[in-house]
Amino acid sequence: MNLIILGAPGSGKGTQSVKLSKELSFAHISTGDMLREAVKNETDLGKKAREYMQKGQLVPDELVIGLIDQRIKQKDAERGIIFDGFPRNINQAKSLDKILNENNKSVDTVINLETTEDVVIQRLCGRRVCKKCGAIFHIKNMPAKIEGVCDHCQGELYQRADDKEETIKKRLDVYTKENAALMKFYQENKKFISLDANHDADIVYKEILDLVNDYNKNTSRAATSA
Ligand code: AP5
């Protein structure tokens, strides 16, 4: 099963994808994480991507699509994939369909995390991420047991460079500009479900897991009766 999680910056895509990928043993493909890693390691891609990310703009499609093409061929993607932060526009969505098709895969479900702007701004301003393992925390909503220290690996927690109020606003503008067309594309072409993601993270997680389990039950029932 291959799943896309859509949603505004701060809607909880990363938080939900990490938990779900562990539960289902699916590959978690986050273009944001891959790009931040490239920036950190100062690779050619990272050098090209840095400026766009600092400004809250999208990195050019061809750079991001190249990442996906390589990543979905890895062994951990055989059982299933959760796409987090990809695709971001129609061009990326069409490219994803093409790449998956070439690898005998397809998009099975698209889950859209709906949030309000005041909620995502509060979430992004308080987000802290582990430098070592990438675990996501929030100073109020999901605080670490020891301030500034990761619960899982004791790594140092930091604030993402693009989580400054000015850049957050730019990221939300970019999202608003691209998202309506992207949602329309998936509403017309794929199984598209919207969830209210303003709720507590555990409630949202349960709703996503129920959807995935229903999908799997229906698919295996259809396969048995065929
Ligand atoms: P990316 O890393 O994808 O960032 P984003 O889409 O802006 O999303 P975020 O990671 O900010 O938010 P999230 O929805 O994952 O929320 P999270 O779970 O962390 O992209 C960054 C940049 O890279 C882009 O601006 C662009 O430049 C580039 N890029 C990436 N992909 C690209 C692509 N495909 N094409 C072109 N460019 C690309 O949660 C946020 C906070 O809220 C956390 O602190 C968390 O603890 C808390 N929280 C989560 N859920 C809840 C809840 N239910 N209740 C309370 N708090 C919650």
Side-chain angles (χ1 to χ4, degrees), residues 8-15 31-32 35-36 53 57-59 64 85-86 88 92 123-124 127 136-138 141-142 160 162 171 197 199-201:
S11 56
K13 302 182 296 295
T15 302
T31 42
L35 289 167
R36 275 184 291 280
M53 295 173 79
Q57 295 169 349
L58 291 184
V59 171
V64 184
F86 184 90
R88 295 289 244 263
Q92 292 185 11
R123 287 184 186 173
L124 292 174
R127 172 167 52 191
I136 306 166
F137 296 86
H138 188 281
N141 308 352
M142 298 174 197
R160 261 171 53 176
D162 59 352
R171 286 160 61 202
H199 298 302
D200 187 87

Side-chain angles (χ1 to χ4, degrees), residues 58-66 68 86-99 178 181-182 185-186:
L58 291 184
V59 171
D61 288 349
E62 63 275 15
L63 299 180
V64 184
I65 291 163
I68 295 291
F86 184 90
R88 295 289 244 263
N89 56 32
I90 300 286
N91 184 39
Q92 292 185 11
K94 288 184 176 164
S95 300
L96 178 62
D97 278 349
K98 185 168 171 282
I99 293 168
E178 302 287 354
L182 188 59
F185 176 82
Y186 282 120

